Structure formats: C-alpha cells, structure tokens
Amino acid sequence: MMVLKSIGAVLIILTGTFCGLKLSRKLTLRKNKLKGFYLYFQEISDRIKTGEELISIYESKTAKNLIKREGFKVSLWEEGLNMEDKKLLTEFFSFLGMGDTNSQVSRCQIYREFVNKRLEEAEKEVREKSKLYTSLGVSFGLLLLSVVFD
C-alpha cells in the first residue's frame, strides 16, 4: 500500500510539473514563432526588392515553418500564436503582392515593426512567467499531494 501511495505522490508532482512546463513552453514557442516572422518579413522585403516572384518567396526555407500555401493563398502555422498575433499576420499576408515594389517593401517594414513590438512583449513574458509557471506547477503538485495524502 505504501508503494502505491509513493507512486501516486510522484505522479501528482510530475503532473503538476508537466502542466507548468507546458505553459512555459507555449510562451517560448510564441516568442520563437514571432522571431521567425520578424526575420521572414525582412527576407520578404529583400526578395521583393530583387523582383522575385511571390510564389518563390512563399517557398523559402524560412517560410516552411511559418506559413502554408495553396497557390497565392497563405495561412499560418498557428501553434503558439495568440489571437492578436494571428490577426496581425493574416492581415499582412492578405495584402502582400498588392501594389508596387516600394509600397510592398514599406508594408514589410511597417509590419516588421509591429511584429517586433509583439516579439518584445513575448520575450518579456517568457522572462517573467516561464519560471513562474514551472514553479507553480511543482507547487500545485505538492499542494495537491498534501491534500490527497493528509
């Protein structure tokens, strides 16, 4: 009976820790995804300046982890992004390819600044909350353990 209680205690603590780590990972994933878009927007701008076709821009190595493409229609790999991120990025891609070279380059730079602001927020969130979520997960597991085995 004592062995089962010990196994149960370990599972409770691990479950709490896993939940905390999962929340922490979600923050890091968002930060990494936004950093990818930040870099990709510069790549798009540079490639538009050289007169490259939009289709080939969508097929770059950088793009494969960020967007899915069907013809000229682009959708996001949404994992890790919040609703505001998705809205901003979808808006950018919905207007990409419309206008002359200068307006496209300008649009890329403007949206790159928007993404950079969101990236800075995400980095701050990771610094402030990542360890907190992990600690809270462990603490929750220990608290639940004390309640269950009291």
Side-chain angles (χ1 to χ4, degrees):
M1 187 66 164
M2 188 62 169
V3 173
L4 286 176
K5 280 188 176 185
S6 297
I7 292 172
V10 168
L11 287 175
I12 289 172
I13 293 170
L14 286 176
T15 301
T17 303
F18 176 75
C19 290
L21 288 171
K22 187 169 181 171
L23 289 172
S24 176
R25 181 188 170 280
K26 187 175 179 180
L27 292 176
T28 303
L29 180 61
R30 177 175 179 250
K31 179 192 78 156
N32 292 339
K33 192 74 81 97
L34 288 171
K35 186 173 186 175
F37 277 108
Y38 177 76
L39 296 172
Y40 184 47
F41 284 7
Q42 183 61 51
E43 179 184 330
I44 292 171
S45 175
D46 293 343
R47 292 172 83 172
I48 286 173
K49 287 178 192 175
T50 65
E52 196 166 334
E53 296 278 328
L54 202 53
I55 293 290
S56 66
I57 293 171
Y58 288 156
E59 292 175 348
S60 75
K61 285 184 181 180
T62 309
K64 292 186 190 292
N65 297 324
L66 302 171
I67 61 171
K68 320 175 240 198
R69 178 185 72 78
E70 292 180 23
F72 285 101
K73 184 172 169 33
V74 172
S75 57
L76 307 171
W77 291 108
E78 296 181 355
E79 184 182 17
L81 299 172
N82 65 28
M83 292 303 288
E84 293 83 21
D85 298 336
K86 293 175 201 174
K87 181 179 176 188
L88 176 73
L89 296 167
T90 300
E91 182 179 289
F92 170 78
F93 285 107
S94 70
F95 291 108
L96 193 61
M98 296 182 191
D100 63 359
T101 300
N102 291 335
S103 66
Q104 291 300 300
V105 169
S106 176
R107 180 182 311 279
C108 289
Q109 296 309 315
I110 290 168
Y111 276 86
R112 190 168 191 251
E113 290 175 24
F114 291 154
V115 169
N116 190 46
K117 287 178 185 172
R118 302 199 64 73
L119 174 58
E120 288 171 355
E121 292 170 12
E123 288 172 338
K124 181 180 177 190
E125 206 171 22
V126 166
R127 280 191 309 274
E128 292 176 353
K129 295 180 181 177
S130 188
K131 288 181 183 176
L132 175 67
Y133 285 164
T134 304
S135 298
L136 283 175
V138 172
S139 300
F140 178 74
L142 292 172
L143 177 68
L144 191 58
L145 180 67
S146 69
V147 169
V148 169
F149 291 110
D150 194 22

